[in-house]
Amino acid sequence: MQVTTYWLEHAWLGTRAEPGVALDVADGRITAVRTGQDTPPPGAEVLRGLTIPGLANAHSHAFHRALRGTVQVGSGTFWTWREVMYGVAQRLTPESYFALARAVYAEMALAGITSVGEFHYLHHAPGGTPYADPNAMGEALIAAAAEAGIRITLLDTAYLSSGFGAAPEQHQLRFSDGTADAWAERVSALQEREGVRIGAAVHSVRAVPAGQLATVARWAEERRAPLHVHLSEQTAENEACQAAHGMTPTQLLAEHGVLGARTTGVHNTHMTDGDIALIGSTATGTCMCPTTERDLADGIGPAVALQRAGSPLSLGSDSHAVIDLLEEARAMELNERLRTRTRGHWTAAALLRAATEDGHAALGWTDAGRLEAGALADFTTLALDSVRTAGPEPRLAAETAVFAASAADVRHTVVGGRHVVRDGVHRSVPDTARALADSIAALRG
C-alpha cells in the first residue's frame, strides 16, 4: 500500500487550527493524523496556509452558470429570471452540457469544493423525447465531474407538472418523465461508481403532484439515498399550495412521507413556526443558498430557528451567481445580522461545519468533511498571506477563512488523495476561464 504524506502548515481539526500537521493518505483515505510536526517529514507534499476539509456544494444547477451576468441586467423577479433560464435549458445537448459542466465543476474545484450535489432535472431532448440513452444528460454530468476531479451526488429530479397537477408547459417538457413511476424506472438505470452517488429530488410541491410524492420518497428510502426538494422558496408557491391543498408545502411533504433524516429542504425560506417544528422534529436538513437567495430577492430564511429545531444546515451555490462556499457561509451569518441587528449567530467553526461535514452528509458522503483517520482524503488549502487574509494570528485561521477569505485564496484541492488543484491551477482543466467562456458562448441563441 503506497502512502503519501501531506504536511499542513496549519490544519483545521474541527475545533481548532493546529500548526504542523502531517496527514498520511493511502487508497484515497486518511490513514493517520500526526500533530506537532514542526517541519515537513522527508518526502512530504507541503501545503502552506490553512488546510480544511473539502467543501461540499450541496445544491447546484450546473447549467445556470451560463446565466451569470446575463440575468443581472435590469430588474425583474424570480419568475422573469426563470424565463431566461428556460431559454438556456432549451439549447443544451448531452455534448454541450458535458462541456459546460466540466468547466463549472473545475471552477468548483478551484474554489475548494470536493463534492457537488447536482439537482438535475434536464432529462430529455427538446419537446420531451427521450434520448437513445434516457439518462444521457445525467451521464454527461457524471462524466464532467469525473474529468474535473470532484465527487458528485446526482440528485435526479422528478419534475412532472407546471403547477399543482397542471400539464408541463412547452419549455418544461424536457424535464418531465410523465409520471413518478416512469421517473423511478428511468433513474433506477443509473449506477453508482467511484466518486458517484445517485440520489433523488422532488423539484417542488408545484412540480410533483401530491399523489406521486410518495413514489419518489419510497424510491429514495429503499436505496437509503439522499432526497432533496426545493421548499418554500417563494411566497407564491406557499399561497398556491394553500389554495390547492389547504396546507403549507412542508405540511404536504410531511403528509406524503417526504421529510426525514436523509431529506434536505433547499432554501426553506418562507416558513411558519409549525413548518420549522416539522422540519426540526423529523431531522430534515436545510440547505441555504444565500448568494442565490439574495440575487433573486427571495428573502432570508430562518436558518437559526431551523437549526435550533433540529435541522442540520448545509450550503449550496445553486444558480452560481457566485461559486464560493466561504461566501455562502459568511453570507448566512451576515444576512442574519442584518435581519436581527445582532452579531454572532454562528461561530466560524459552526459555519465551516455547514460548509464541510454537514454538507457532505446531506449528499450521502458521511465519510467526508473531517481531517481524521478513516475519512476520505478530500481537503483544500487556503492562503493565509493574501491581501484578504494577511494579518490575523494563525490561531484565528478559521475566522480568517470564513470572514475574510474567498475562493480566490484556494491554493490546493485534493480529492481522494489526488491533487486536483495545485498552486491555484486546475491540473486537468488548466485554462478553466477559457473552458467556461467557450462552453457558454456555444449556448448563445
Side-chain angles (χ1 to χ4, degrees):
M1 180 173 64
Q2 182 175 355
V3 176
T4 300
T5 298
Y6 288 88
W7 181 79
L8 318 180
E9 185 180 27
H10 301 279
W12 178 248
L13 299 183
T15 59
R16 68 192 188 283
E18 183 78 20
V21 174
L23 295 185
D24 293 334
V25 172
D27 294 332
R29 292 186 179 271
I30 299 170
T31 58
V33 179
R34 293 177 280 131
T35 58
Q37 307 291 305
D38 294 337
T39 58
E45 294 261 10
V46 175
L47 304 183
R48 296 204 176 273
L50 172 68
T51 298
I52 63 175
L55 300 167
N57 191 349
H59 189 66
S60 163
H61 301 290
F63 77 92
H64 290 190
R65 175 62 179 81
L67 301 172
R68 189 184 294 177
T70 302
V71 289
Q72 317 306 332
V73 178
S75 58
T77 66
F78 168 85
W79 306 102
T80 55
W81 169 89
R82 191 174 71 154
E83 294 304 312
V84 180
M85 178 269 288
Y86 284 152
V88 173
Q90 284 297 98
R91 292 191 285 274
L92 283 162
T93 65
E95 294 75 22
S96 62
Y97 206 5
F98 165 78
L100 175 61
R102 175 177 177 265
V104 173
Y105 295 153
E107 182 181 358
M108 290 185 193
L110 287 167
I113 292 164
T114 58
S115 70
V116 60
E118 184 61 40
F119 200 101
H120 167 57
Y121 55 83
L122 191 54
H123 303 306
H124 307 300
T129 302
Y131 290 102
D133 174 0
N135 287 305
M137 295 295 266
E139 291 290 353
L141 291 164
I142 289 170
E147 289 218 4
I150 68 173
R151 303 181 195 276
I152 186 171
T153 298
L154 189 74
L155 297 161
D156 197 287
T157 304
Y159 193 135
L160 310 173
S161 168
S162 62
F164 297 98
E169 297 174 5
Q170 180 63 34
H171 44 244
Q172 296 167 332
L173 292 173
R174 297 195 74 172
F175 310 159
S176 178
D177 292 294
T179 67
D181 285 334
W183 166 85
E185 181 179 358
R186 177 184 55 74
V187 72
S188 293
L190 286 163
Q191 298 296 314
E192 295 191 343
R193 62 207 81 162
E194 182 70 25
V196 179
R197 296 274 165 85
I198 305 299
V202 170
H203 179 274
S204 58
V205 295
R206 289 182 287 109
V208 178
Q212 300 187 59
L213 289 169
T215 300
V216 184
R218 185 167 54 250
W219 186 95
E221 175 63 28
E222 288 172 352
R223 290 158 180 79
R224 315 294 287 174
L227 173 60
H228 288 216
V229 53
H230 289 135
L231 182 54
S232 289
E233 181 177 5
Q234 297 289 325
T235 54
E237 175 185 292
N238 289 0
E239 292 160 2
C241 189
Q242 284 282 1
H245 298 290
M247 62 184 71
T248 67
T250 300
Q251 291 169 327
L252 186 66
L253 293 175
E255 187 171 272
H256 292 277
V258 177
L259 303 184
R262 281 190 309 282
T263 299
T264 298
V266 181
H267 304 301
N268 293 1
T269 306
H270 302 285
M271 311 208 99
T272 67
D273 290 345
D275 292 338
I276 292 169
L278 263 177
I279 294 290
S281 66
T282 55
T284 300
T286 295
C287 180
M288 303 297 291
C289 306
T291 64
T292 290
E293 290 150 5
R294 73 190 184 196
D295 182 54
L296 297 179
D298 285 344
I300 299 170
V304 171
L306 284 159
Q307 188 172 50
R308 285 177 179 164
S311 180
L313 298 180
S314 56
L315 297 164
S317 63
D318 192 2
S319 69
H320 310 317
V322 177
I323 294 179
D324 187 339
L325 263 288
L326 299 173
E327 173 61 20
E328 303 294 345
R330 175 164 57 244
M332 188 165 70
E333 166 67 24
L334 299 185
N335 282 354
E336 195 65 20
R337 292 182 185 185
L338 285 173
R339 192 180 68 81
T340 63
R341 290 184 289 173
T342 59
R343 304 176 76 216
H345 301 277
W346 291 277
T347 63
L351 293 168
L352 278 176
R353 182 184 175 98
T356 56
E357 184 173 1
D358 286 349
H360 291 294
L363 300 178
W365 301 100
T366 55
D367 48 356
R370 302 177 299 281
L371 298 183
E372 63 179 38
L376 292 170
D378 298 356
F379 42 89
T380 189
T381 303
L382 308 170
L384 293 178
D385 58 356
S386 76
V387 293
R388 288 165 295 278
T389 60
E393 296 177 28
R395 66 182 178 82
L396 299 175
E399 287 76 9
T400 303
V402 172
F403 292 105
S406 78
D409 294 306
V410 171
R411 292 294 175 263
H412 306 281
T413 301
V414 173
V415 182
R418 184 174 67 89
H419 242 115
V420 175
V421 172
R422 186 189 291 273
D423 297 319
V425 177
H426 197 288
R427 300 188 74 188
S428 61
V429 191
D431 194 346
T432 305
R434 173 53 56 190
L436 285 162
D438 289 349
S439 60
I440 292 169
L443 299 176
R444 294 199 178 108

